[in-house]
Amino acid sequence: MTGSGPLYTELAELRRLVAERTADLQRVKAEYDNYRKRVRRDRLAVREIAVANVLRALLPVLDAVDRACAHEPLTPGLEDIADSLKEQLGSLGVTSFGEVGDPFDPACHDAVAHHASPDRDRLVCSAVLRPGYRLGDHLLRPAHVEVAGPAPPARSAHGGARDVRPSTAGGAPPLPIARN
């Protein structure tokens, strides 16, 4: 066989077609693998959102049980309900946060009151009105706290911070007032 003639060209054409079909098959397989991964990832995300929504709906129940435990005589039944609810939520990965003395973090705390305390150099939680909850790294509910710390910046008569001009009509940022 010398590499010429109709038989050789037909063989070359068949090899080209096999290579083309193999590349097509590999591309389709890769697309399908990516599709399967994306569907699995989407299902996990939907599951996490559903679990978070159910847990978020149960938080008022947990608050009511905690209030009952704090204000009522602790009966064995009430104690069992409180322990069981906390244990089950804990087994699902729910953790509470918000303790007196914690540094204030606006990402996970809602400050409902601010008490000026000149002896503090930063804001800290001085009272926890309602604990916050997380599911892993996901914030289910921020903690409602009272904070103590340095006094907020003084406000001028027009409602803005002192030494700042009110913003202009175009939404431009306020400009500092020059003092001579």
Side-chain angles (χ1 to χ4, degrees):
M1 188 162 189
T2 62
S4 63
L7 189 57
Y8 181 76
T9 56
E10 187 178 333
L11 183 60
E13 178 66 17
L14 288 174
R15 285 185 178 159
R16 185 188 64 76
L17 286 173
V18 166
E20 190 177 296
R21 298 302 182 262
T22 302
D24 289 345
L25 182 61
Q26 288 172 339
R27 187 185 74 253
V28 168
K29 182 185 180 310
E31 287 174 1
Y32 181 68
D33 288 343
N34 288 337
Y35 168 77
R36 279 193 350 231
K37 290 175 187 175
R38 187 173 60 249
V39 166
R40 184 175 54 234
R41 189 176 54 243
D42 290 349
R43 283 183 183 159
L44 288 174
V46 166
R47 181 183 177 279
E48 288 176 8
I49 290 169
V51 167
N53 286 339
V54 168
L55 293 174
R56 198 173 287 117
L58 287 176
L59 293 181
V61 175
L62 183 59
D63 290 338
V65 169
D66 285 343
R67 280 191 307 273
C69 289
H71 293 91
E72 298 291 328
L74 212 56
T75 63
L78 181 59
E79 188 175 11
D80 286 345
I81 290 170
D83 291 344
S84 178
L85 183 59
K86 289 177 183 176
E87 182 180 315
Q88 292 302 316
L89 290 175
S91 71
L92 292 172
V94 176
T95 56
S96 67
F97 65 92
E99 299 290 328
V100 172
D102 284 352
F104 175 72
D105 180 1
C108 62
H109 295 111
D110 278 342
V112 296
H114 177 224
H115 304 286
S117 178
D119 59 329
R120 297 192 187 263
D121 60 341
R122 62 183 180 154
L123 294 175
V124 295
C125 300
S126 59
V128 178
L129 305 175
R130 188 175 80 176
Y133 292 95
R134 284 191 179 96
L135 177 61
D137 292 335
H138 182 72
L139 181 68
L140 292 175
R141 180 179 80 188
H144 285 206
V145 297
E146 291 182 3
V147 295
R155 301 264 174 192
S156 66
H158 60 75
R162 189 180 335 146
D163 295 338
V164 174
R165 238 182 261 144
S167 66
T168 58
L175 301 170
I177 298 173
R179 299 275 182 209
N180 292 338

